Amino acid sequence: MNRKILLVDDEKNIIRSLDLILKSEGFEVAGAGDLKQARLQLQSEDFSIFLIDVMLPDGDGIEFIPEIRKQFPGAVIIMISGHASIKLAVEATRKGADDFLEKPLSRDKLLITLNNFVRRLELEEKYASLQSDRFGDGLIGESDAIRNIRNLIQKIAPSNSKVLITGESGTGKEIVAHLIHQMSERRDEPYVKINCSAIPEELIEAELFGAEKGAYTGSTERREGRFRQADGGTLFLDEIADMSPATQTKVLRVLQDGRFERVGGTETLSTDVRIVAATNKNLEQAVKEGRFREDLYFRLHVVPLYLPPLRERGKDIEILARHFLEYFRKENNKRPMNISSAVMKLFRRYPWPGNVRELKNVIERMVIMSDGDELDIRHVPAELQRARQDSSQLFSGEPSLRDFRDQAEGQYIRQLMEKNENNVARVAEILQVDRTYLYKKLRKLGLRK
């Protein structure tokens, strides 16, 4: 754990004596004689504990608390003063201080206080690590949606039931699938995944069921498929909606009795796997249109789990942004950084069609491009800048609620069409609307003749 302490006090003797005491107890100590020096220290180092005098030559130490909280939200802040009063202690607590100690400082009381806070920080760090291990980057957040998903995973994981995960691209479907495996009774057995849309149709059956030597061009030896590789464990079928009808039929048989043959073979093999499937498409619509087998859909749709898009998790955007900022800052050996209020405001307004994955990529790009200690509007990618300009235009002229809704809807559709290279089918799936309806909207927007 980080045991760095910043002492802010204009009395050099106090800094000197506390430095000796705290270093002997295993703390790393840095000193500052005023707020100006303290601010410089904040830019260059990470601290977990702050000891700050209330009365400093260039300002009030209590007013410095919000600045620390903004950059180090989880740090311990202890105020010290030779003129302590209940009123002063209450004010410091309201500003965000964790404790208030009166000068002259008692060595024993100070060490007891610090050690108690260290234990708290260690527990918080351990809990955060456990949560990260269990729920991964894609499930960071405190929105009701994320809390519900965590609860569902804990209920789903111990069973052997099939799970169908749905949601837009970038919402964390693969992370959830892996978590289900990690928290299941099969955690020590294989976890095998396959993206059904990334493999050519003529090879997907060989990938899933294996193939005998010479079964297809380039097949020079027998190969085992994913169903055999995952025996005893979990098989994650990603983008299940893109599976060909012929392959769907063979997968259905495996789900029914656990039996199959290699491509080009006659030997019947068996497997015991738990199936977790995922798609960003509307499978019910695909069933209605005859593109997906209804009986296979119902086989997979035992336990449905829907991951909401980031735009419906507004409460989590700031939490995720700061998490990714800290991750990429450390990865790129950058000093402590912050996100400006203007950027955060833009993040909250932007619809995030690429969801958590897009936010992560945006933060990584901004951290790399920034040379200062704050990510501001200058570092925001062009596509988000355009969204910022478009959103400001929505409020010009005081439109009616209906006009504003139409403008916002049109802007969002334009962004999706641009991002998805004018793929109408893909955009219709994201919006969860019928393609005919979307074509009418596009004609109205002047994007289609």
Side-chain angles (χ1 to χ4, degrees):
M1 188 202 111
N2 176 2
R3 292 169 67 91
K4 284 187 179 179
I5 297 179
L6 178 61
L7 302 175
V8 187
D9 199 305
D10 59 334
E11 296 184 51
K12 292 183 179 179
N13 288 336
I14 290 180
I15 289 183
R16 193 177 296 115
S17 61
L18 288 178
D19 182 63
L20 290 171
I21 293 170
L22 295 173
K23 281 184 176 176
S24 67
E25 294 294 320
F27 292 98
E28 295 180 57
V29 181
D34 54 33
L35 292 175
K36 182 179 179 181
Q37 291 179 19
R39 290 187 177 101
L40 290 174
Q41 294 274 20
L42 290 187
Q43 293 177 13
S44 59
E45 294 189 65
D46 288 337
F47 298 97
S48 60
I49 301 173
F50 293 83
L51 279 172
I52 308 169
D53 191 12
V54 172
M55 299 180 65
L56 294 164
D58 56 347
D60 184 344
I62 292 177
E63 297 304 318
F64 186 44
I65 295 174
E67 292 183 47
I68 298 171
R69 279 278 172 253
K70 191 175 182 181
Q71 192 161 326
F72 300 100
V76 171
I77 302 175
I78 301 171
M79 302 305 298
I80 55 177
S81 176
H83 308 280
S85 67
I86 294 176
K87 183 180 178 182
L88 205 60
V90 170
E91 184 185 354
T93 303
R94 283 178 177 170
K95 288 285 185 179
D98 294 285
D99 209 339
F100 196 103
L101 300 179
E102 188 175 1
K103 289 182 179 178
L105 295 173
S106 160
R107 179 183 183 278
D108 291 341
K109 185 175 182 180
L110 174 63
L111 291 177
I112 289 171
T113 301
L114 287 175
N115 285 326
N116 285 338
F117 279 121
V118 165
R119 279 194 288 272
R120 189 192 82 179
L121 290 173
E122 287 174 341
L123 286 172
E124 289 175 351
E125 189 174 285
K126 185 176 181 181
Y127 177 75
S129 176
L130 288 171
Q131 290 294 90
S132 178
D133 289 342
R134 293 178 75 192
F135 295 113
D137 286 347
L139 290 182
I140 286 174
E142 295 302 324
S143 64
D144 289 342
I146 287 299
R147 291 177 186 273
N148 289 338
I149 290 167
R150 288 185 185 133
N151 290 335
L152 279 171
I153 290 173
Q154 289 175 329
K155 291 176 181 177
I156 292 169
S159 74
N160 279 317
S161 298
K162 300 173 187 67
V163 181
L164 178 61
I165 308 170
T166 57
E168 296 177 10
S169 294
T171 49
K173 296 187 291 297
E174 186 173 339
I175 290 172
V176 169
H178 197 203
L179 284 171
I180 290 170
H181 173 74
Q182 287 180 318
M183 297 169 68
S184 74
E185 299 297 323
R186 298 173 180 252
R187 68 178 69 88
D188 296 324
E189 301 300 328
Y191 172 75
V192 179
K193 60 184 179 181
I194 181 170
N195 188 321
C196 300
S197 67
I199 299 171
E201 184 175 335
E202 61 272 15
L203 295 178
I204 186 69
E205 289 188 27
E207 286 291 330
L208 286 170
F209 309 113
E212 297 291 346
K213 179 180 178 180
Y216 57 90
T217 304
S219 175
T220 57
E221 58 184 18
R222 174 188 283 181
R223 62 179 298 180
E224 296 295 353
R226 306 297 173 94
F227 273 100
R228 287 285 281 184
Q229 293 170 11
D231 191 27
T234 303
L235 177 61
F236 175 47
L237 301 175
D238 198 8
E239 303 300 348
I240 189 80
D242 294 322
M243 189 178 285
S244 69
T247 306
Q248 290 177 34
T249 301
K250 291 190 176 183
V251 169
L252 178 62
R253 181 193 169 191
V254 182
L255 299 189
Q256 287 172 334
D257 59 19
R259 296 178 180 278
F260 63 96
E261 290 84 32
R262 298 186 188 93
V263 175
T266 56
E267 180 187 2
T268 299
L269 307 172
S270 62
T271 186
D272 170 28
V273 297
R274 181 184 191 175
I275 297 293
V276 178
T279 181
N280 58 17
K281 295 185 169 79
N282 187 332
L283 269 191
E284 289 184 8
Q285 186 66 30
V287 169
K288 289 178 183 177
E289 294 174 1
R291 293 183 287 108
F292 199 83
R293 290 186 62 119
E294 185 177 36
D295 45 4
L296 178 57
Y297 169 72
F298 285 118
R299 283 279 177 181
L300 296 171
H301 197 260
V302 177
V303 181
L305 203 163
Y306 170 70
L307 300 187
L310 186 56
R311 62 183 173 273
E312 294 178 8
R313 294 168 45 196
K315 187 177 179 181
D316 295 336
I317 292 173
E318 184 170 346
I319 297 172
L320 283 161
R322 296 196 185 282
H323 168 78
F324 293 138
L325 170 64
E326 189 65 11
Y327 175 83
F328 289 117
R329 175 189 74 77
K330 290 179 179 177
E331 189 177 70
N332 291 279
N333 297 315
K334 299 260 188 173
R335 63 189 182 186
M337 305 172 82
N338 193 30
I339 302 175
S340 74
S341 58
V343 170
M344 203 60 79
K345 186 177 181 181
L346 172 58
F347 281 179
R348 286 192 289 268
R349 287 184 175 179
Y350 183 64
W352 298 108
N355 293 294
V356 178
R357 186 186 297 131
E358 183 182 10
L359 175 59
K360 185 176 182 179
N361 292 342
V362 165
I363 295 293
E364 181 178 13
R365 196 186 324 173
M366 291 176 71
V367 168
I368 291 169
M369 300 303 294
S370 174
D371 294 320
D373 57 2
E374 184 174 70
L375 302 183
D376 58 37
I377 292 295
R378 294 172 301 160
H379 307 115
V380 174
E383 60 268 25
L384 269 75
Q385 290 278 18
R386 285 196 298 272
R388 173 175 174 247
Q389 293 164 1
D390 292 342
S391 64
S392 64
Q393 292 171 5
L394 289 176
F395 292 97
S396 62
E398 298 182 350
S400 68
L401 183 60
R402 181 175 181 177
D403 288 341
F404 174 79
R405 184 193 62 203
D406 291 343
Q407 290 176 50
E409 187 179 80
Q411 177 186 316
Y412 181 47
I413 291 173
R414 285 189 180 93
Q415 288 176 0
L416 286 179
M417 290 294 289
E418 182 179 343
K419 188 172 186 66
N420 290 276
E421 300 176 344
N422 295 317
N423 187 326
V424 176
R426 173 80 185 103
V427 173
E429 287 166 3
I430 292 172
L431 295 172
Q432 296 185 14
V433 298
D434 187 78
R435 260 182 277 183
T436 304
Y437 173 83
L438 180 57
Y439 273 118
K440 290 179 181 177
K441 282 287 182 183
L442 293 173
R443 282 196 293 271
K444 187 175 181 181
L445 294 169
L447 298 178
R448 282 286 186 281
K449 292 183 180 180

